[in-house]
Amino acid sequence: ATNRTFTMIKPDAVQDNHIGGILSMIEAGSFRIVELQKVTLTAERAGQFYAVHAERPFYNDLVKYMSSGPIVAAILEKDNAVADFRTLIGATNPANAEDGTIRKKYAKSIEANAVHGSDSDENAQIEGDFFFGTK
Ligand code: CMP
């Protein structure tokens, strides 16, 4: 069925002029861009977004990184969107990302890994609402 996922282009990829390249890969993958917004998160907002990771050792660095510069948030629509988008972005650690994936091409490290993708339909809804409100 057609459904939605949520993505962010992370600060390193925005800083390195890869918004266009990444959106091109997303559109070439047959995702429709339903909502799109460039925004800079405060540390407080980034902390809220990643609250599920609050107990992880990388949380403080992640919050600092995700509030270090502008990001691009988007809601994407496609058949089987969550799973297909995770395939398109590749593994969290770019060292393990497959050829042809967004992270293989653009990620620099496990933290600065170019893009976020929701891990479930439920989180896609929550994360999309975090930026765009209920649609
Ligand atoms: P993302 O898919 O946005 O979800 C959580 C983020 O935390 C992840 O991408 C990475 O940016 C970061 N992350 C996950 N695991 C690690 C790790 N082991 N070390 C540092 N950052 C991590």
Side-chain angles (χ1 to χ4, degrees):
T2 299
N3 48 38
R4 291 179 173 190
T5 191
F6 171 79
T7 188
M8 291 184 288
I9 302 175
K10 297 189 180 186
D12 62 295
V14 171
Q15 176 65 32
D16 293 344
N17 280 358
H18 296 318
I19 296 173
I22 290 170
L23 292 180
S24 290
M25 288 180 76
I26 289 171
E27 291 193 318
S30 300
F31 292 85
R32 300 203 67 83
I33 298 169
V34 177
E35 299 284 352
L36 187 69
Q37 179 187 46
K38 187 179 181 193
V39 62
T40 302
L41 293 172
T42 62
E44 188 182 8
R45 286 271 293 162
Q48 286 166 0
F49 183 88
Y50 282 115
V52 54
H53 295 306
E55 303 307 318
R56 304 282 198 99
F58 57 80
Y59 177 73
N60 286 339
D61 278 348
L62 178 62
V63 168
K64 198 181 291 181
Y65 164 62
M66 288 301 296
S67 57
S68 67
I71 58 114
V72 173
I75 293 175
L76 307 176
E77 195 167 77
K78 185 186 178 296
D79 220 60
N80 199 31
V82 168
D84 284 3
F85 192 66
R86 290 178 73 81
T87 301
L88 178 64
I89 66 179
T92 302
N93 185 344
N96 302 326
E98 303 271 346
D99 283 347
T101 63
I102 291 173
R103 284 172 171 160
K104 178 74 178 190
K105 187 159 184 187
Y106 293 114
K108 292 177 175 163
S109 67
I110 194 165
E111 177 178 76
N113 63 358
V115 285
H116 169 80
S118 303
D119 63 5
S120 66
D121 288 350
E122 186 190 4
N123 283 333
Q125 179 77 46
I126 292 167
E127 293 169 1
D129 285 351
F130 186 88
F131 285 89
F132 300 104
T134 308
K135 298 280 174 186

